[in-house]
Amino acid sequence: MDTTASIIFIIAAFCLGGIVIMQKNNIPPGLRRGLALSSIAFIVFAFFLIVYSLATMGS
């Protein structure tokens, strides 16, 4: 597993979530729901990658 790509994805997912939260008033209503759902999906997958990398760290 390429750890560099995983780390970049994790950082990007959390940055996207932070930007969506901070700029929620400036995002158009039609785009807000889809952007929020996609950022939640990315953050959940990032958490999965973190847990998976911690679980396989010893092997």
Side-chain angles (χ1 to χ4, degrees):
M1 184 165 99
D2 188 19
T3 57
T4 306
S6 298
I7 291 172
I8 290 172
F9 176 77
I10 291 167
I11 291 171
F14 283 110
C15 286
L16 176 65
I19 289 170
V20 168
I21 289 173
M22 288 187 292
Q23 299 295 323
K24 64 183 172 189
N25 294 330
N26 296 335
I27 300 172
L31 186 62
R32 189 180 305 157
R33 183 180 182 100
L35 202 56
L37 289 175
S38 63
S39 63
I40 287 172
F42 287 149
I43 291 172
V44 167
F45 187 65
F47 272 122
F48 169 75
L49 286 177
I50 292 169
V51 171
Y52 179 75
S53 66
L54 289 175
T56 60
M57 189 181 297
S59 54

